Amino acid sequence: MSGTPPPTGGFVRRIGLFQATAINMSQMCGIGPFVTIPLMVAAFGGPQAVLGFVAGAVLALADGLIWAELGASLPGSGGSYVYLRQAFQYRSGRLMPFLFVWTAMLFIPLIMSTGVVGFVQYLGYLAPDLGSTGGDLVGLGVIAVVVLLLWRGIEHIARITTVMWAVMIASVTLVIVASATHFSADRAFTYPSGAFELTSDHFWLGFAAGLTIGIYDYLGYNTTAYMGAEIKNPGRTLPRSIVFSILGIMAIYLLLQIGTLGVIDWQRMTDPGDIASTSVASAVLEKTWGKGAADVITVLILVTAFASVFTGLLGGSRVPYDAARDRVFFRPYARLHPRHRFPTVGLATMGAVTAVGFLIGRHTDLATLIQLLTTVMVLVQALAQIAAVTVLRRRQPGLRRPYRMWLYPLPGLVALVGWLVIYGYADKNSPGRHPIEWSLAWVALGCVAYLLWARFEKVWPFGPREVREEYLEHPVTDEVDA
């Protein structure tokens, strides 16, 4: 076993509870609900689409409690990498953390790319003559600006994030208030025939698709867990930032969804030729307060989308750092900027993958892209972490746990059912695209890459397993890190 304490890797603990919650909420909200409300309505076939956001909130909260326990106990940079490394080292060596980093280097920046796609969609409301090439250039420029802004110290980033969080709150609040001034209960709560037929395959297909879209909109509640080495008082701050951000965004989403359905006929949202299908929030403002107000709010939504990509790459770029430092990933990813102490290669790589994903997403159905991203994440991250909580409680009973999951093991079981529903219905909701097959192929390719890597590094299964219970031997306390 290693006798060295779990290092923060040169990171500085400067992010407090408010800033941590703001980082999560900025990443969670972003452009997501503004572009997925029409997708949710199309999936359900009516205003009963609100069920998708409710189901997504339940899954996010259940899964968030798993992240809260793991993050409070193991507050290192890299999030899931740290948790899977600690939990699965006893039987499979470095395989699980390697597979997580392998997939995270793909799905995290691709999720960010959907935010840039949404940015360009809403920009099209202000500049309808932008064109395909112009939109591509704008999106690539946005990604470049995000990377340049992140190329600095975390203390500066925390201040930038707080400002962006305020803009995000302002944009969604104004859309909610505008919808309330022209709200029609009949429009929002009049459902088509058979909307709630629980014995219908159509209902469950729509529910599974809606749950996938819903959890996509909530993704980001775990952003600060990836930055555990930079969080003040992690045993208290991490769980609270996760729970507070989920509850806050849940309230915002429900008000936003219901309010939008009370202003815009749901049929307009499913019409590809209607502005409500691509820029529904702008359509709400135009109908309620006029074109001028719609233009102003659209600008705020663009800033919100930018903030989402910003915070997503901020947290995601930390993922390969710990793995590289532990020689479970390519060694250049262990480099930190000599002055500002952030992972340079990780940030640059994820920025590049985001750019590629954006170009692909511009010419791909957004709902299908979400399905593809989610299926990969379910296998290697979501299901593995549910198991990790139980494994660590059994393998490391003496681990300091400032937060223990409420009602254990119920949240884990709820999360397990939710993720399996999303995965099981993925192919049915993306006919011809085969997201399940693609996810299995990607994981299989990762296993092959791991075997080659393990052979080179002479680790399990080509060498002895290395058990490192560093957080058990050298617990991180809130008092030390305050």
Side-chain angles (χ1 to χ4, degrees):
M1 295 186 184
S2 171
T4 56
T8 62
F11 289 129
V12 181
R13 296 192 183 278
R14 290 178 175 170
I15 300 177
L17 177 59
F18 178 79
Q19 292 169 331
T21 305
I23 287 172
N24 284 346
M25 291 183 70
S26 296
Q27 167 60 14
M28 291 170 73
C29 188
I31 196 68
F34 296 117
V35 296
T36 58
I37 285 176
L39 297 179
M40 189 79 79
V41 171
F44 277 90
Q48 69 272 24
V50 173
L51 286 175
F53 285 113
V54 174
V58 172
L59 176 54
L61 189 57
D63 194 59
L65 296 182
I66 296 170
W67 280 91
E69 176 167 327
L70 293 172
S73 305
L74 309 168
S77 64
S80 292
Y81 165 74
V82 177
Y83 316 149
L84 301 185
R85 184 190 71 202
Q86 288 294 303
F88 295 103
Q89 61 183 325
Y90 302 96
R91 291 189 180 274
S92 58
R94 304 180 185 183
L95 174 61
M96 286 304 297
F98 180 93
L99 285 178
F100 167 72
V101 178
W102 172 266
T103 56
M105 292 296 290
L106 176 69
F107 75 73
I108 290 177
L110 289 185
I111 290 174
M112 297 308 101
S113 71
T114 64
V116 185
V117 171
F119 180 98
V120 176
Q121 276 187 219
Y122 268 81
L123 184 63
Y125 179 81
L126 297 177
D129 298 326
L130 183 63
S132 178
T133 302
D136 290 347
L137 293 175
V138 168
L140 293 174
V142 166
I143 296 168
V145 171
V146 167
V147 172
L148 288 174
L149 285 176
L150 288 173
W151 210 269
R152 61 191 64 237
I154 190 66
E155 67 276 11
H156 304 296
I157 291 173
R159 288 194 289 268
I160 293 172
T161 301
T162 301
V163 173
M164 290 182 177
W165 176 84
V167 175
M168 181 271 290
I169 291 296
S171 63
V172 294
T173 299
L174 288 171
V175 175
I176 291 169
V177 171
S179 62
T181 60
H182 289 69
F183 183 78
S184 168
D186 287 341
R187 185 179 289 114
F189 301 113
T190 298
Y191 307 106
S193 176
F196 300 102
E197 285 188 9
L198 301 184
T199 58
S200 168
D201 290 341
H202 177 74
F203 174 85
W204 290 110
L205 281 172
F207 180 84
L211 178 60
T212 304
I213 296 168
I215 195 62
Y216 162 80
D217 282 333
Y218 282 99
L219 289 179
Y221 53 84
N222 50 12
T223 300
T224 48
Y226 290 120
M227 305 167 62
E230 298 164 270
I231 303 295
K232 296 179 184 176
N233 304 327
R236 292 192 296 267
T237 300
L238 269 173
R240 292 180 182 182
S241 69
I242 290 170
V243 174
F244 290 171
S245 60
I246 292 172
L247 294 178
I249 292 295
M250 178 175 64
I252 289 172
Y253 280 179
L254 289 177
L255 291 173
L256 191 63
Q257 170 80 63
I258 295 172
T260 300
L261 288 168
V263 175
I264 303 295
D265 292 327
W266 68 267
Q267 291 89 347
R268 287 186 58 191
M269 300 184 197
T270 61
D271 180 359
D274 196 305
I275 191 65
S277 68
T278 56
S279 307
V280 67
S282 301
V284 168
L285 266 296
E286 184 175 320
K287 185 173 180 179
T288 55
W289 292 350
K291 184 67 167 61
D295 290 345
V296 172
I297 301 303
T298 300
V299 171
L300 295 181
I301 291 173
L302 293 176
V303 175
T304 299
F306 184 90
S308 175
V309 178
F310 180 89
T311 52
L313 288 181
L314 167 64
S317 63
R318 270 65 176 168
V319 171
Y321 172 76
D322 251 1
R325 190 184 59 188
D326 293 340
R327 296 175 65 188
V328 181
F329 206 62
F330 302 106
R331 298 183 188 184
Y333 286 91
R335 296 174 185 165
L336 290 178
H337 191 280
R339 178 183 176 188
H340 297 306
R341 314 303 294 169
F342 67 88
T344 53
V345 181
L347 177 58
T349 301
M350 288 201 172
V353 178
T354 300
V356 174
F358 162 73
L359 293 175
I360 295 173
R362 280 274 290 167
H363 308 285
T364 304
D365 175 63
L366 184 58
T368 298
L369 184 58
I370 291 171
Q371 291 278 4
L372 291 169
L373 296 170
T374 308
T375 50
V376 175
M377 186 186 69
V378 167
L379 281 181
V380 181
Q381 182 182 61
L383 298 183
Q385 283 194 179
I386 294 171
V389 171
T390 301
V391 170
L392 284 171
R393 286 199 177 197
R394 182 169 60 88
R395 288 282 191 176
Q396 298 186 18
L399 180 67
R400 181 176 180 269
R401 292 178 171 85
Y403 167 79
R404 285 178 173 267
M405 185 194 306
W406 302 330
L407 302 175
Y408 174 85
L410 182 59
L413 294 175
V414 172
L416 177 64
V417 171
W419 290 120
L420 288 177
V421 167
I422 288 174
Y423 194 79
Y425 278 87
D427 273 358
K428 294 181 181 179
N429 281 308
S430 298
R433 302 297 178 90
H434 308 294
I436 292 179
E437 288 82 353
W438 279 109
S439 68
L440 291 173
W442 183 254
V443 173
L445 185 60
C447 290
V448 173
Y450 172 77
L451 290 175
L452 296 174
W453 177 262
R455 182 79 177 179
F456 177 81
E457 294 287 347
K458 294 182 174 58
V459 297
W460 183 90
F462 303 103
R465 280 189 292 262
E466 301 173 11
V467 177
R468 301 173 54 206
E469 297 177 328
E470 62 261 41
Y471 289 91
L472 184 62
E473 298 169 3
H474 302 275
V476 178
T477 64
D478 289 340
E479 289 75 18
V480 170
D481 296 310

